[in-house]
């Protein structure tokens, strides 16, 4: 939607700045805009500030500009001049405030994505580039602004997102437009996310695809009772990122093997875990599997939730990791769980202990009800 808006503005002679917190989300927004401009046969000058994550965007970077084949350079224009006169410029929040970056000048409109994760000063800085309007897009039900966990409590301008600060708490707020149709997830996955986090208001616009073999369902929950251990537990008992669950890591590797056996490419698979230690343990199990089965795992991504924001994969494996231990915010925070589950396009596989997620020793009644919704919408598998 934001790409279509940007393309429409450019077609009508407006100058547009695209921005976001992460380079991954920014590249996707830029590519979405370019796709619509190309379909409309519109030629425009483009500059991508800073580092790119998608190779399709590298042709608009400073490095590409410095290549001798770049037409603007052949015409004698410097990079700073190109940025200042380009009709479409893309740069993340940090790059826009970087003193040594090229000054992009003023724009008719600034379009900012991922604003639920952006702190208010970053958005304020981006707004100074806009002459006519600022359009912000994001989901207050997903990741909040990021700040160091070991820092003192940040003030309200860094802790709150723009929705909180503006008091936009309802989808019916006239200042906001709720986009009620998603085009990433297959219906079963979309319906689960809708019921858990959007009161059933989220609809699905994707065309139905055949089920992947091996799992027996679009959404599956692998019941994997295990124990949580701690890396360096003698010294780091309170360090949540050092938690790992070996049983869950083994189940994740088995789920990868199942997907690969049924034709899924490694680059189409993502594993999301809440803790850095669990990411390392899962990578270890995946590598052991690849050596034993002589499989190529190149492109498979294992990472924490924050690294998957703005991304998607054909198959997503979500590992809750915690089991029979007081959960951290990474297990019980709905915004993080929402991001994790909604990365999946065709197959969502969840790994956890269903008895633990239904235990009122660790979770509130409201939390248990949400987890029960998840379990009710999933096919339960027990792997040995």
């Amino acid at each position: 939607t934001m790409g279509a808006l940007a393309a429409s503005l450019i077609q009508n002679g407006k100058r547009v700045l695209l921005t976001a917190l992460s380079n991954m989300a920014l590249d996707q927004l830029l590519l979405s805009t370019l796709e619509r401009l190309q379909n409309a046969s519109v030629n425009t000058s483009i500059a991508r500030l800073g580092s790119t994550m998608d190779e399709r965007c590298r042709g608009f970077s400073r490095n590409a500009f410095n290549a001798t084949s770049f037409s603007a350079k052949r015409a004698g224009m410097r990079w700073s001049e190109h940025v200042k006169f380009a009709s479409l410029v893309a740069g993340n929040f940090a790059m826009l405030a970087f003193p040594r970056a090229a000054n992009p000048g003023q724009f008719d409109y600034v379009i900012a994505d991922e604003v639920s994760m952006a702190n208010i000063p970053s958005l304020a800085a981006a707004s100074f580039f806009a002459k006519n309007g600022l359009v912000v897009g994001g989901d207050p039900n997903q990741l909040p602004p990021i700040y160091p966990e070991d820092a003192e409590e940040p003030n309200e301008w860094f802790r709150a997102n723009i929705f909180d600060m503006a008091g936009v708490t309802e989808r019916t707020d006239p200042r906001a437009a709720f986009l009620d149709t998603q085009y990433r997830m297959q219906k079963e996955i979309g319906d689960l996310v809708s019921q858990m986090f959007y009161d059933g208001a989220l609809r699905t616009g994707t065309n139905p695809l055949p089920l992947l073999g091996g799992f027996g369902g679009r959404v599956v929950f692998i019941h994997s009772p295990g124990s949580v251990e701690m890396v360096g537990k003698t010294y780091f008992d309170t360090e949540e990122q050092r938690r790992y669950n070996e049983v869950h890591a083994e189940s994740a590797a088995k789920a990868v093997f199942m997907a690969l056996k049924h034709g899924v490419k490694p680059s189409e698979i993502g594993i999301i875990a809440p803790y850095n230690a669990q990411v390392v343990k899962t990578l270890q199990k995946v590598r052991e599997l690849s050596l034993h089965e002589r499989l190529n795992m190149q492109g498979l991504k294992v990472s924490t939730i924050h690294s998957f924001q703005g991304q998607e994969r054909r198959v997503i494996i979500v590992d809750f990791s915690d089991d029979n231990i007081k959960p951290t915010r990474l297990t019980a925070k709905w915004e993080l769980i929402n991001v994790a589950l909604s990365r999946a396009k065709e197959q969502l596989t969840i790994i956890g202990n269903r008895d633990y997620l239904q235990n009122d020793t660790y979770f509130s009644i409201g939390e248990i009800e949400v987890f029960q919704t998840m379990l009710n919408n999933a096919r339960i598998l027990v792997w040995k």
Side-chain angles (χ1 to χ4, degrees):
T1 300
M2 299 179 81
L5 173 61
S8 177
L9 290 169
I10 292 168
Q11 286 175 274
N12 283 276
K14 305 300 183 183
R15 189 166 189 251
V16 175
L17 171 66
L18 305 178
T19 188
L21 183 68
S22 72
N23 283 319
M24 181 65 74
L26 182 59
D27 282 352
Q28 290 190 349
L29 178 57
L30 175 58
L31 290 171
S32 176
T33 304
L34 295 179
E35 179 183 357
R36 285 154 179 81
L37 288 173
Q38 290 166 358
N39 290 341
S41 299
V42 175
N43 293 321
T44 187
S45 55
I46 303 158
R48 173 66 168 87
L49 306 180
S51 302
T52 60
M53 299 297 290
D54 193 302
E55 62 180 14
R56 292 173 292 177
C57 296
R58 289 175 189 160
F60 309 108
S61 67
R62 182 172 185 169
N63 288 339
F65 180 88
N66 288 332
T68 56
S69 60
F70 202 97
S71 59
K73 188 180 180 185
R74 287 205 310 269
M77 185 179 289
R78 294 179 298 175
W79 168 251
S80 59
E81 295 171 322
H82 171 64
V83 170
K84 198 159 188 176
F85 292 105
S87 301
L88 175 62
V89 177
N92 65 27
F93 291 125
M95 184 56 61
L96 294 180
F98 185 52
R100 295 171 61 184
N103 182 2
Q106 289 287 295
F107 294 83
D108 295 296
Y109 290 90
V110 172
I111 298 179
D113 197 6
E114 280 191 334
V115 297
S116 68
M117 297 176 65
N119 58 59
I120 305 303
S122 293
L123 279 173
S127 73
F128 278 98
F129 293 97
K131 292 189 295 185
N132 298 332
L134 172 68
V135 179
V136 298
D139 187 348
N141 291 334
Q142 295 199 359
L143 294 181
I146 301 171
Y147 58 88
E149 290 299 318
D150 59 351
E152 295 181 6
E153 183 71 9
N155 63 43
E156 59 180 349
W157 300 105
F158 285 91
R159 182 178 60 247
N161 63 40
I162 188 64
F163 300 103
D164 294 334
M165 194 62 68
V168 179
T169 59
E170 302 293 335
R171 292 189 290 271
T172 56
D173 193 302
R175 294 170 293 171
F178 174 61
L179 306 182
D180 62 359
T181 305
Q182 62 83 19
Y183 298 92
R184 169 186 294 151
M185 301 169 277
Q186 284 291 284
K187 188 175 187 305
E188 297 90 336
I189 304 172
D191 287 350
L192 170 65
V193 171
S194 180
Q195 290 178 40
M196 290 181 68
F197 307 111
Y198 300 99
D199 301 321
L202 191 64
R203 299 184 295 178
T204 294
T206 56
N207 295 321
L209 297 172
L211 282 174
L212 292 179
F215 294 97
R218 186 78 68 188
V219 180
V220 300
F221 182 92
I222 303 176
H223 178 54
S224 302
S227 60
V228 173
E229 299 180 61
M230 199 84 71
V231 176
K233 61 185 297 185
T234 304
Y235 305 102
F236 300 101
D237 280 337
T238 60
E239 185 68 40
E240 64 184 32
Q241 285 295 338
R242 296 183 180 271
R243 290 186 181 187
Y244 71 92
N245 188 321
E246 189 162 3
V247 174
H248 285 203
E250 290 175 349
S251 294
K254 291 178 182 177
V256 168
F257 184 54
M258 181 70 70
L260 293 175
K261 282 202 308 182
H262 288 85
V264 181
K265 299 176 183 178
S267 59
E268 298 174 325
I269 303 173
I271 304 176
I272 303 176
Y275 310 118
N276 290 330
Q278 186 66 8
V279 169
V280 173
K281 179 61 67 173
T282 303
L283 281 168
Q284 176 187 332
K285 296 298 180 182
V286 168
R287 285 168 184 155
E288 291 174 359
L289 173 69
S290 66
L291 291 173
H292 185 268
E293 301 291 339
R294 297 183 179 180
L295 296 170
N296 176 15
M297 296 291 185
Q298 186 174 2
L300 182 142
K301 180 171 183 176
V302 184
S303 189
T304 57
I305 298 171
H306 286 85
S307 297
F308 268 96
Q309 173 71 5
Q311 297 187 56
E312 59 190 29
R313 294 280 169 122
R314 187 179 175 195
V315 175
I316 287 290
I317 301 164
V318 177
D319 177 9
F320 278 94
S321 297
D322 282 342
D323 195 341
N324 295 320
I325 190 173
K326 182 180 178 180
T328 70
R329 63 180 186 83
L330 296 174
T331 297
K333 193 172 181 64
W334 299 127
E335 292 91 341
L336 302 181
I337 297 174
N338 184 7
V339 172
L341 301 184
S342 60
R343 301 306 95 192
K345 297 171 67 176
E346 293 185 42
Q347 178 67 47
L348 174 61
T349 299
I350 306 164
I351 299 171
N353 182 343
R354 61 181 173 184
D355 299 323
Y356 168 69
L357 297 177
Q358 298 292 282
N359 191 328
D360 58 14
T361 302
Y362 303 110
F363 299 99
S364 68
I365 297 301
E367 290 169 337
I368 289 174
E369 289 177 353
V370 177
F371 283 132
Q372 188 60 57
T373 298
M374 180 182 74
L375 293 168
N376 289 342
N377 282 271
R379 179 176 185 240
I380 308 298
L381 301 178
V382 181
W383 285 354
K384 296 182 180 179

